[in-house]
């Protein structure tokens, strides 16, 4: 019997493989402080920026600040579910947004939850909010026009697909109106629009969504919105959510227009989070990387090379100034990042000149490269005419006697200002714009009274739609403005003038 037991033990020992004991170390930490939507977590030495962390209470947060002895975490939920001492574990994944192609036409919050009353879209993948911007090799020069439908912008400060054009001005000067009109003008243009509302009032967002729906623009538009009373976390990630979705569409070969309304509130949300996380404040209490905050967002707008599908993402960030001061910290940062700015002036707005674009302070650094040839021809002298008119207008206010030539320039400038006025929600096709501005360059308004300029414009466009739709099409597509085009415009002007009664 002992022999049998010895044999069994020897067999068992021979088949046993001694394995060294390796303790499993889980990189987990605990909450040391929590409040106001942020938490300080100790014990997560390997966590990285934008990594999602899981809290014991069931909610998640992402890392926004790294310190030697703690990490600062922004909570993606209510902080009442997080307590001091709660266990926190790493997930190893970056902050991402669920994505599906069915998002177009929807209204969502920055976490991907629908807020339009419709069922939640089934996501097919997750998009990281932070990605590297396309390199110089991946891009190509901006050359395709992004028509806004606004005469002043398309003629004087043209925007191209892949450009970043800043819309800047005081409160209540029509910044959002320009952005919405640009979205409305993309109907049938094969452009997908994304509107990101940052810290907006619920009534304002409801009005914008209603406008888009009424004009049929919601069919090709995604609205990402966060309200003013929501946490700074959602206000902070909102533009990155819109950008991640737009970038995915761009890399699939589509053309995207994205509106950030507005980045002033985005910077304020980042400042609030940074101060709560004990980041050292800099100028105007903003953290030191506030420039990088917006540059890494806007640099992702691009026109991709044709070998990568040729898609584009055009960014129209909006920024609010105080008392018309464009030399403030955030406005100057964004002016240096973008490819130009459209400056809206409160004085012009109150004078009834709408859109209230200040010609002297507005610029497009892409310029004629993104302008159709016919528009470039008829709009070439408009900026000079407006500048001369503004100088003469200031001089005439002194009551000096003006010679007939100067008086004629003043009158011509007044009529041009009237011609460039445009009601809200009425973007104009580029062919119609070329027709109107071509009529001005041919002197058609010289004998028209100032108070009848807009009526003349309306009748001229109606006449062209009725009798010369072919001319309108040619003016929007022709490689150059020919003598035949000028003759066609002249005949339309003569026809209207004879029945209009100058």
């Amino acid at each position: 019997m002992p022999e049998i037991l010895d044999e069994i033990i020897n067999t068992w020992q021979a088949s046993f493989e001694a394995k060294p004991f390796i303790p499993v170390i889980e990189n987990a930490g605990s909450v040391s402080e929590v409040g106001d939507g942020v938490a300080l977590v100790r014990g997560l030495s390997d966590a990285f920026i934008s990594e999602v962390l899981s809290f014991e209470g069931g909610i998640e947060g992402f890392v926004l600040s790294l310190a030697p002895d703690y990490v600062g975490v922004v909570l993606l939920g209510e902080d009442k579910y997080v307590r001091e001492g709660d266990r926190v574990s790493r997930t190893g994944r970056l902050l991402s947004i669920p994505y599906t192609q069915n998002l177009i036409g929807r209204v969502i919050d920055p976490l991907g939850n629908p807020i339009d009353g419709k069922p939640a879209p089934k996501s097919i993948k997750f998009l990281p909010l932070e990605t590297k911007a396309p390199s110089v090799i991946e891009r190509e020069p901006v050359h395709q026009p992004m028509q806004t439908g606004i005469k002043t912008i398309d003629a004087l400060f043209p925007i191209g697909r892949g450009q970043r054009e800043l819309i800047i001005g005081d409160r209540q000067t029509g910044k959002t109106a320009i952005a919405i009109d640009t979205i409305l003008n993309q109907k049938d243009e094969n452009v997908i629009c994304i509107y990101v509302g940052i810290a907006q009032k619920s009534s304002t967002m409801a009005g914008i969504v209603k406008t888009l729906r009424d004009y049929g623009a919601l069919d090709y538009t995604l609205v990402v919105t966060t309200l003013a009373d929501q946490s700074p976390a959602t206000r902070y990630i909102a533009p990155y959510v819109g950008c991640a979705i737009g970038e995915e569409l761009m890399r699939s070969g589509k053309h995207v227009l994205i509106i950030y309304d507005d980045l002033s509130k985005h910077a304020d949300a980042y400042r609030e989070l940074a101060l709560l996380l004990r980041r050292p404040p800099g100028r105007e209490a903003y953290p030191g990387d506030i420039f990088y905050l917006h540059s890494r967002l806007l640099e992702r707008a691009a026109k991709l090379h044709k070998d990568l599908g040729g898609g584009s993402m055009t960014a129209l960030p909006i920024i609010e100034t105080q008392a018309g001061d464009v030399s403030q910290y955030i406005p100057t940062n964004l002016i240096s990042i973008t490819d130009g700015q459209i400056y809206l002036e409160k004085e012009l707005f109150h004078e009834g000149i709408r859109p209230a674009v200040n010609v002297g302070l507005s610029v497009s650094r892409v310029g004629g490269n993104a302008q159709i040839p016919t528009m470039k021809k008829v709009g070439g002298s408009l900026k000079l005419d407006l500048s001369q008119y503004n100088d003469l207008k200031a001089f005439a206010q002194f009551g000096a006697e003006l010679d007939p030539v100067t008086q004629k320039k003043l009158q011509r400038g007044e009529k041009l200002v009237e011609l460039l006025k445009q009601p809200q929600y009425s973007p104009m096709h580029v062919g119609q714009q070329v027709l109107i501005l071509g009529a001005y360059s041919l002197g058609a308004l010289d004998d028209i009274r100032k108070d009848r300029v807009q009526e003349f414009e309306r009748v001229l466009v109606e006449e062209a739609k009725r009798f010369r739709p072919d001319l309108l099409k040619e003016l929007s597509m022709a490689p150059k403005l020919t003598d035949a085009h000028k003759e066609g415009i002249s005949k339309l002007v003569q026809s209207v003038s004879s029945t209009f009664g100058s």
Side-chain angles (χ1 to χ4, degrees):
M1 192 70 172
E3 293 80 4
I4 298 175
L5 288 175
D6 289 340
E7 185 178 352
I8 294 174
I9 292 172
N10 291 334
T11 304
W12 177 80
Q13 287 178 340
S15 62
F16 175 73
E17 282 186 15
K19 296 182 180 179
F21 174 72
I22 302 176
V24 178
I25 301 175
E26 181 182 0
N27 192 213
S30 61
V31 177
S32 62
E33 294 182 35
V34 62
D36 296 317
V38 302
L40 303 183
V41 179
R42 300 184 185 276
L44 292 178
S45 58
D46 295 336
F48 50 85
I49 290 291
S50 293
E51 182 183 4
V52 176
L53 304 182
S54 178
F55 287 78
E56 184 178 330
I59 72 169
E60 294 184 331
F62 63 94
V63 179
L64 188 62
S65 180
L66 298 176
D69 55 344
Y70 68 87
V71 295
V73 182
V74 178
L75 302 177
L76 296 173
E78 298 185 34
D79 55 21
K80 65 181 181 181
Y81 299 110
V82 180
R83 297 180 181 179
E84 186 177 338
D86 280 0
R87 181 183 177 86
V88 185
S89 58
R90 296 180 58 194
T91 65
R93 56 185 173 87
L94 285 170
L95 184 61
S96 304
I97 179 73
Y99 171 75
T100 174
Q101 294 181 343
N102 297 328
L103 281 176
I104 307 304
R106 302 297 301 273
V107 183
I108 63 172
D109 68 9
L111 300 179
N113 303 313
I115 55 177
D116 53 7
K118 299 179 182 178
K122 295 181 180 179
S123 60
I124 55 176
K125 62 179 176 178
F126 284 81
L127 305 176
L129 298 195
E130 299 269 10
T131 59
K132 189 177 179 180
S135 66
V136 175
I137 303 300
E138 294 177 302
R139 300 171 184 251
E140 67 177 26
V142 175
H143 63 277
Q144 294 176 289
M146 172 66 72
Q147 304 292 350
T148 66
I150 301 171
K151 290 173 287 186
T152 306
I153 297 175
D154 290 342
L156 303 177
F157 316 106
I159 300 173
R161 294 185 177 183
Q163 187 175 344
R164 300 152 299 177
E165 184 81 359
L166 181 65
I167 303 175
I168 183 171
D170 282 6
R171 184 173 177 271
Q172 297 293 326
T173 51
K175 302 185 297 296
T176 301
I178 286 181
I180 297 301
D181 280 354
T182 304
I183 292 177
L184 300 184
N185 195 56
Q186 303 314 310
K187 193 171 186 177
D188 302 324
E189 293 292 332
N190 197 27
V191 174
I192 297 174
C193 302
I194 301 174
Y195 177 87
V196 182
I198 307 168
Q200 299 285 350
K201 294 186 295 185
S202 55
S203 58
T204 301
M205 286 307 307
I208 290 173
V209 172
K210 183 179 184 302
T211 298
L212 295 175
R213 183 179 290 113
D214 291 346
Y215 285 87
L218 198 58
D219 296 339
Y220 54 86
T221 304
L222 166 66
V223 178
V224 181
T225 179
T226 174
L227 303 180
D229 60 348
Q230 292 181 323
S231 68
T234 58
R235 285 182 272 145
Y236 166 71
I237 67 173
Y240 294 102
V241 169
C243 186
I245 296 172
E247 196 171 39
E248 175 69 15
L249 294 168
M250 173 184 69
R251 292 193 177 278
S252 64
K254 296 180 173 60
H255 297 288
V256 180
L257 169 68
I258 185 166
I259 312 292
Y260 302 112
D261 189 10
D262 66 66
L263 292 186
S264 302
K265 298 183 179 69
H266 181 238
D268 292 344
Y270 185 59
R271 174 172 60 183
E272 182 178 347
L273 290 172
L275 292 174
L276 289 170
L277 294 172
R278 302 178 181 177
R279 299 270 295 278
R283 178 179 167 186
E284 297 182 20
Y286 289 106
D289 61 344
I290 190 68
F291 183 91
Y292 181 57
L293 173 76
H294 290 148
S295 64
R296 73 177 189 261
L297 171 71
L298 295 173
E299 281 295 327
R300 291 161 69 179
K303 175 70 175 73
L304 292 183
H305 195 273
K306 60 182 180 180
D307 294 341
L308 298 175
S312 69
M313 182 163 65
T314 308
L316 295 184
I318 296 175
I319 201 78
E320 184 176 304
T321 56
Q322 304 293 330
D325 185 9
V326 296
S327 64
Q328 293 175 319
Y329 189 29
I330 302 302
T332 51
N333 280 351
L334 284 161
I335 287 172
S336 63
I337 294 169
T338 51
D339 304 316
Q341 69 274 352
I342 298 168
Y343 178 67
L344 303 179
E345 192 174 3
K346 181 176 287 186
E347 288 75 15
L348 294 176
F349 187 85
H350 292 321
E351 290 175 12
I353 301 174
R354 302 173 187 176
V357 179
N358 183 308
V359 178
L361 295 179
S362 301
V363 66
S364 173
R365 297 188 181 94
V366 173
N369 294 335
Q371 200 171 31
I372 63 173
T374 51
M375 177 63 84
K376 188 185 298 186
K377 182 67 176 179
V378 299
S381 63
L382 294 184
K383 194 169 186 179
L384 178 62
D385 290 350
L386 283 172
S387 299
Q388 289 179 343
Y389 165 69
N390 290 328
D391 292 340
L392 292 174
K393 182 182 177 182
F395 180 72
Q397 289 178 345
F398 291 105
E401 294 186 5
L402 304 176
D403 60 88
V405 176
T406 304
Q407 290 180 356
K408 186 175 181 180
K409 286 184 177 180
L410 269 173
Q411 294 171 0
R412 186 175 174 86
E414 290 175 349
K415 294 173 183 178
L416 178 57
V417 170
E418 287 294 316
L419 191 67
L420 292 177
K421 289 181 181 179
Q422 197 165 341
Q424 192 175 357
Y425 308 140
S426 58
M428 185 173 289
H429 189 266
V430 64
Q432 300 173 15
Q433 296 184 42
V434 175
L435 169 68
I436 293 165
L437 298 177
Y440 165 81
S441 64
L442 293 174
L445 302 182
D446 292 348
D447 297 326
I448 305 295
R449 294 204 316 266
K450 173 186 170 182
D451 59 348
R452 304 199 69 185
V453 167
Q454 294 187 27
E455 185 182 355
F456 177 83
E457 172 192 340
R458 179 180 56 80
V459 175
L460 180 64
V461 171
E462 290 177 353
E463 192 83 358
K465 286 181 179 179
R466 186 181 307 166
F467 298 108
R468 292 299 308 273
D470 58 316
L471 178 61
L472 292 177
K473 186 176 181 180
E474 289 178 15
L475 291 176
S476 64
M477 301 176 63
K480 65 177 182 177
L481 191 69
T482 64
D483 293 337
H485 296 147
K486 294 180 181 178
E487 183 180 353
I489 295 173
S490 297
K491 288 183 178 179
L492 279 173
V493 168
Q494 292 172 6
S495 174
V496 171
S497 299
S498 61
T499 59
F500 186 77
S502 61

